[in-house]
Amino acid sequence: MARFDEVKATFWGEGLYGVQPPLTDAVVQNAERRLGVRLPASLLEILRVQNGGLVAESWNAFPTDVPTSWSEDHVPLDDMRGIGRHDGQSSLLDSGYLVEEWGLPSPLVLLSGDGHCWIALDYQTCGRLGEPSVTWFDVDDGTELPLATDFTEFVEGLTAAASFDLDDADGSRSAP
């Protein structure tokens, strides 16, 4: 599990955008009750380091085997929602409203996204008390792309978006 611990230690970027107050057991219990799901322990570990905010540039992308509307080979994770209601900032607690607003399947907990595309904890297969997979949802083209079987695998698969930059005129990628 060293890889998860390595990413967790340097997961968060700088700045206060999206940061909620420090996570407490009471806040977690309230969130799980409101969301109607059991949140993954590995997500809570990261949120106990910092409760939401910008993701460090080293971990702001997840590679894909198929093209998406975002990119030929990855999806972005520029920020991740925390749990709370600080200064009107969006949080995991907004998932129910946003799932309904954007016509997404349920149950989901939205980790990151802008309305057109989302990265979410996907409870559709495992049920509300199971270990959710992580899925990319593209509202505009109606696609769902499974990214990882669970949140730990998702975190361990993160990499820098800069590693996907194309720098050759013909579109070929140079080695990182």
Side-chain angles (χ1 to χ4, degrees):
M1 180 73 77
R3 172 81 169 132
F4 176 82
D5 290 334
E6 291 168 18
V7 176
K8 179 179 79 170
T10 58
F11 183 79
W12 296 108
E14 295 182 22
L16 296 177
Y17 172 80
V19 178
Q20 300 287 339
L23 203 58
T24 65
D25 291 342
V27 168
V28 171
Q29 290 169 356
N30 181 53
E32 289 181 332
R33 189 180 75 253
R34 289 182 63 180
L35 294 167
V37 299
R38 184 180 51 79
L39 295 169
S42 54
L43 170 64
L44 297 175
E45 279 187 54
I46 285 180
L47 293 179
R48 286 187 195 285
V49 173
Q50 180 177 298
N51 190 7
L54 297 173
V55 174
E57 290 182 11
S58 298
W59 314 116
N60 64 355
F62 190 90
T64 61
D65 293 331
V66 298
T68 68
S69 61
W70 177 262
S71 168
E72 289 294 313
D73 53 10
H74 71 283
V75 296
L77 184 70
D78 295 326
D79 60 82
M80 191 169 78
R81 290 173 165 80
I83 301 171
R85 291 283 179 217
H86 183 65
D87 290 341
Q89 296 184 51
S90 185
S91 96
L92 296 180
L93 299 175
D94 298 315
S95 293
Y97 162 77
L98 292 168
V99 163
E100 186 175 326
E101 176 79 14
W102 288 97
L104 294 163
S106 185
L108 301 179
V109 173
L110 304 176
L111 298 173
S112 184
D114 65 1
H116 301 279
C117 300
W118 299 97
I119 294 175
L121 296 175
D122 187 349
Y123 290 84
Q124 294 179 90
T125 302
C126 70
R128 293 180 178 275
L129 299 178
E131 187 69 27
S133 59
V134 179
T135 304
W136 167 262
F137 292 89
D138 188 315
V139 174
D140 292 339
D141 68 15
T143 59
E144 297 178 20
L145 176 63
L147 299 175
T149 59
D150 60 32
F151 187 75
T152 300
E153 181 183 293
F154 174 72
V155 168
E156 290 179 344
L158 291 170
T159 190
S163 69
F164 295 98
D165 286 345
L166 300 177
D167 58 5
D168 295 332
D170 66 357
S172 63
R173 186 174 30 181
S174 58

